[in-house]
Amino acid sequence: MRENLQINAPSRHHSITPPLHRSIIPAFLCVAVLLACLLDCFAQRQPDDRPPPLDPIEGQRQARLLVANLLAQLPEQPLTNQGVLKIQEAGGKERDLPLTIRVLPTSSNWLSIYEIATNNGPSTGTCLTVIHNGSHPNQYNLIEPGLNGDPATRTLTGSQVMVPFAGSDFWLSDLGLEFLHWPEQRVLKKEMRRSQSCNVLESTAPQPAPEGCARIVSWIDIDTGGIVHADAYNSHNEVVRKFEPTKFKKINGQWQLEEVEMRNRKSGSRTWIEFNVKPQ
């Protein structure tokens, strides 16, 4: 996640490397830390071993506490990660976009920046800056190449952030974890996912578009607060997109995130991010 960063395998306690555990910066980055120590074991409980669903009122109470805790997490130092945004269309055509991800803490908030480079240099590509203000709404500033080649800057709010980033299957709202700011939250149950004990959080969009994202169900690790898996549903209760980490690499005895994926089940396309993982 940054220059010279080692992504350490987590313990089952809360003493995980602070910059990674205490920030819920891009979901696809946090997941690496959560799964690293259990990559060799993906067995899930059998249906008769699963605990019963939570009472709705209790689920809402637990969700308020969970979301408040997640939004309160802050990165402790700047982080930078280089990678490639790889987009595969339904017909199989692929394109690669160089991607730089930065995290910048400030005295009052923190920023996550996603920048696509072009042949003319990074300043002419798409750049999304998400300003995180704890429990207050995120602010999204998007820079895109204009028709005349000059960059166009927009500040986006509400449903405006429910759009693809650089033509990929990752939406702007995904990169800002916007679903944590939706008013209706509920913990449905506790469940094992990829050998992690998780809270299954249902987040319902306040005013979903007919074919947009109506709710997100995410599996959040109970010990570390990171997202292990997430499904996005439309208003017809159909899963339209799926997020999951897909590849890890063991370097110097430590597991590091190598790839994450977002699949669009409606269009048949998929996008994955390959990180530049190498020995330091």
Side-chain angles (χ1 to χ4, degrees), residues 105-125:
T106 73
S107 59
S108 59
N109 53 32
W110 61 280
L111 285 65
S112 52
I113 303 170
Y114 309 83
E115 190 170 22
I116 298 292
T118 68
N119 293 333
N120 297 321
S123 62
T124 60

Side-chain angles (χ1 to χ4, degrees), residues 21-42:
H21 169 53
R22 295 180 184 174
S23 65
I24 52 167
I25 56 179
F28 49 87
L29 296 181
C30 288
V31 174
V33 184
L34 314 180
L35 303 181
C37 67
L38 293 172
L39 294 176
D40 295 327
C41 180
F42 290 97

Side-chain angles (χ1 to χ4, degrees), residues 93-109:
K93 182 179 178 180
E94 293 186 14
R95 56 192 175 100
D96 296 352
L97 300 174
L99 175 66
T100 300
I101 301 170
R102 297 184 179 90
V103 174
L104 300 175
T106 73
S107 59
S108 59
N109 53 32

Side-chain angles (χ1 to χ4, degrees), residues 3 9 16 41 65-66 74 104 126 130 154 182 193 225 240 256 262 277 280:
E3 297 170 355
I16 294 176
C41 180
L65 295 174
L66 172 62
L74 297 172
L104 300 175
T126 299
V130 184
R154 295 181 293 156
W182 294 349
R193 186 90 189 202
V240 291
Q256 297 192 36
M262 184 75 79
V277 178
Q280 300 300 324

Side-chain angles (χ1 to χ4, degrees), residues 9 17 29 63 69 158 232:
T17 306
L29 296 181
N69 181 64

